Amino acid sequence: MSKVVERGARLSARALVGLLGEWNGDGHAYVALAERLRLLIRDGRVPAGTRLPSEREIAAALRRSRTTVVAAYQALRETGHLVSVRGSGSVATLPHAEAASQHAVDFAHALSPPVEGLDELVASMGKDFLAALDGPEVDLLGNPGLRTAVAQRFTERGLPTAPDQILITLGAQHAIALVAHTLLHRGDHALVESPTYPYAYEALRRAGARLTVTPVSAEGWDIDHLIDLLGRLRPALAYLMPDFHNPTGASMLPEDRVRVLTAARRAGTTLLVDETTAELTIDRPWDDGPFARHGHRMTGAGSTVLTVGSLSKTVWGGLRLGWVRAERSIIQRLVQARPAGDLGNPQMEQMVGVRVMQALPDLLNRRSAQLRAHRDALCRHVRDRLPTWQVPMVQGGLSLWVGLDRPVSSALALLCHTRGLAISAGPRFTVDGSHERFLRLPFTAPLPDLERGITVLADCWNEIQSSPHRVPADQHLPSVL
Ligand SMILES: Cc1ncc(COP(=O)(O)O)c(C=O)c1O
């Protein structure tokens, strides 16, 4: 069971010890403690605004002297990562300058450039954009043409869908957060994969969910564990990514999808299926279509499947176009709840979205070719420079979930940050701070950056190997997408 860390919430000493993991190095303990805490604050696992345990509490929980913790907290205050607030104790903060920190190479974000051909498509809009001015000022549901096109794509992929089952959103993240806030009640159980896409579990947590995890690796899911958990816990919601899972790249086998869906129906669990990465195939020899198509064939009452998707990874993240596919009654609930968070979709972007959907098969082919070249280059560089790392073969998606032969992912990420490489440590993708033996390597950066990034990684890895407890002094950790 995960610990809930909410903005403004108080973090217990026990929860913090869990998040810290193996933090100690061979230098001063207070320096190592401050650095690991800084990592947690910077990568968002301890959000700015969180009230930290008192020095006395954490010293007791860590079985360390109070002097060590006092010195660590003082070091964090000096770098602007902690402030003392009257009545609240020590509160995590982010120094102003960090929000804009730049790295020479970015492996922290799995963001692809606009797909080849998007520029021509946008240029061809010309005066057509003026029609957007006839659109509504507040558009909570989405452009009818775009909803029809998205519904048609689902239908073509094997899941009959009507336009009124589609809600257009500001990307998939918005869709996940809207679903979480609309359907979950505080204290509801929600099941998430571990590792997983961090902003999804953060959205569920903010909606008040109690998170429980089921494991996924580059080889796939422990389906028996997942099914057993659904049966025992009967969670209100399970968030799953069955195709080209972020970060592992795994895809769930079609026969397992049926088993999971059957178990979810029995448990009354709503499945929130994230298909943001589902159409990023490179060379997977099969395509099972939308996950929800299996549910479509099942009759009788049971759970619902909500599918979220997006053009962010297939086409371009800057469009901020995503969707939810659900039963009509759920779409209506989402639309009703929406204005508390945002007042609807932009008209011009949706017009581009309609054209994009018309050209989608061609654009997907181009994205696939680009991903193939980048995946192959990254695998080659890792095998050349880091031959002891376990590199899984992925057939699509955006990243490799590589296995390190030592649990030093956080220390490695920290050292890389001092050398100009932004990268997220394995535990950033988990709710419980586990997976120190893993690192996510996105293959979305430009080809020369992939090589430069791996060179930095290899140098830092060698340094850590020769000085096993080396933990660097200064880091800048960005967000992760
Ligand atoms: C699995 C997954 N879902 C959702 C999102 C958010 O996508 P969007 O940019 O459409 O909000 C991301 C972005 O990284 C992602 O990796």
Side-chain angles (χ1 to χ4, degrees):
M1 191 77 53
S2 79
K3 289 287 165 296
V4 176
V5 185
E6 283 181 73
R7 196 176 293 272
R10 190 178 179 284
L11 187 61
S12 72
R14 222 174 114 229
L16 184 55
V17 170
L19 287 170
L20 284 168
E22 286 294 319
W23 57 273
N24 204 6
D26 59 359
H28 288 297
Y30 84 90
V31 176
L33 179 59
E35 281 166 349
R36 188 53 62 90
L37 274 166
R38 219 174 268 130
L39 171 73
L40 295 173
I41 296 167
R42 281 175 166 153
D43 76 10
R45 277 178 279 166
V46 174
T50 304
R51 290 189 288 145
L52 296 189
S54 71
E55 284 112 329
R56 187 182 44 75
E57 287 169 318
I58 185 129
L62 289 173
R63 296 205 181 85
R64 291 279 171 167
S65 78
R66 194 161 165 264
T67 325
T68 299
V69 183
V70 168
Y73 273 25
Q74 183 53 30
L76 290 171
R77 274 189 206 97
E78 282 163 14
T79 53
H81 293 92
L82 206 64
V83 287
S84 301
V85 177
R86 194 186 293 272
S88 293
S90 300
V91 175
T93 56
L94 274 176
H96 211 57
E98 264 186 23
S101 73
Q102 289 294 324
H103 287 83
V105 180
D106 184 358
F107 278 9
H109 300 101
L111 295 176
S112 291
V115 69
E116 203 192 309
L118 182 64
D119 49 356
E120 283 164 32
L121 192 148
V122 174
S124 75
M125 301 285 301
K127 286 198 169 174
D128 292 357
F129 269 130
L130 292 176
L133 302 179
D134 298 330
E137 236 172 294
V138 175
D139 173 11
L140 295 171
L141 200 52
N143 171 315
L146 184 54
R147 293 171 68 215
T148 302
V150 172
Q152 201 175 326
R153 179 92 192 143
F154 273 110
T155 305
E156 283 163 11
R157 296 186 66 232
L159 177 62
T161 302
D164 59 1
Q165 290 177 274
I166 301 293
L167 168 71
I168 302 298
T169 60
L170 309 169
Q173 179 60 34
H174 174 224
I176 295 165
L178 181 62
V179 167
H181 279 282
T182 310
L183 300 190
L184 287 174
H185 299 107
R186 192 152 289 279
D188 276 352
H189 285 287
L191 193 155
V192 297
E193 294 148 338
S194 183
T196 188
Y197 163 60
Y199 293 139
Y201 71 68
E202 286 183 2
L204 299 177
R205 223 158 45 178
R206 282 206 189 172
R210 285 186 282 167
L211 304 182
T212 300
V213 300
T214 190
V216 187
S217 70
E219 281 74 48
W221 286 252
D222 181 341
I223 294 292
D224 290 337
H225 182 275
L226 172 51
I227 288 175
D228 180 56
L229 212 52
L230 285 169
R232 278 192 298 115
L233 194 70
R234 297 178 165 281
L237 184 142
Y239 169 77
L240 302 175
M241 230 183 303
D243 289 281
F244 308 123
H245 175 266
N246 178 7
T248 65
S251 292
M252 193 184 285
L253 295 174
E255 57 268 30
D256 288 341
R257 297 176 192 223
V258 178
R259 288 181 63 203
V260 170
L261 206 59
T262 308
R265 287 173 82 89
R266 221 175 276 137
T269 300
T270 294
L271 293 181
L272 177 56
V273 176
D274 187 342
E275 295 190 347
T276 301
T277 51
E279 296 207 65
L280 296 174
T281 187
I282 299 174
D283 43 21
R284 192 179 61 182
W286 53 273
D287 178 21
D288 193 50
F291 181 97
R293 79 187 182 85
H294 296 290
H296 191 72
R297 291 208 211 97
M298 294 179 187
T299 50
S303 75
T304 354
V305 182
L306 274 70
T307 307
V308 301
S310 163
L311 294 177
S312 291
K313 305 296 183 185
T314 49
V315 179
W316 185 43
L319 285 174
R320 307 307 311 138
L321 289 176
W323 52 82
V324 184
R325 181 206 180 272
E327 290 163 12
R328 292 168 182 86
S329 59
I330 292 182
I331 296 290
Q332 280 160 11
R333 281 177 68 188
L334 295 173
V335 169
Q336 254 175 2
R338 186 170 176 175
D342 75 287
L343 290 179
N345 305 309
Q347 295 305 317
M348 289 171 196
E349 279 77 357
Q350 291 187 97
M351 290 188 69
V352 177
V354 174
R355 297 266 177 107
V356 162
M357 291 305 294
Q358 285 161 2
L360 198 61
D362 181 41
L363 296 176
L364 288 176
N365 284 338
R366 295 179 190 211
R367 177 61 87 210
S368 177
Q370 179 244 342
L371 289 173
R372 178 193 297 269
H374 285 234
R375 176 200 63 183
D376 293 350
L378 184 64
C379 286
R380 219 175 28 249
H381 297 318
V382 178
R383 290 202 181 102
D384 286 353
R385 300 295 313 264
L386 293 151
T388 61
W389 287 13
Q390 289 135 33
V391 185
M393 190 56 209
V394 298
Q395 297 176 322
L398 301 163
S399 59
L400 304 174
W401 185 239
V402 299
L404 317 177
D405 41 20
R406 291 176 49 210
V408 291
S409 189
S410 294
L412 183 61
L414 287 170
L415 188 56
C416 288
H417 283 277
T418 67
R419 309 286 158 81
L421 172 68
I423 191 158
S424 302
R428 180 62 183 108
F429 300 89
T430 69
V431 293
D432 53 8
S434 59
H435 288 67
E436 272 291 355
R437 282 181 187 273
F438 291 87
L439 195 61
R440 184 186 76 161
L441 297 181
F443 41 85
T444 45
L447 288 172
D449 281 9
L450 292 180
E451 184 162 14
R452 279 163 60 207
I454 294 301
T455 304
V456 175
L457 254 180
D459 290 347
C460 293
W461 176 251
N462 292 336
E463 208 167 303
I464 284 188
Q465 295 288 84
S466 56
S467 164
H469 296 299
R470 165 122 177 65
V471 182
D474 185 28
Q475 341 67 41
H476 297 282
L477 294 185
S479 55
V480 48
L481 289 168

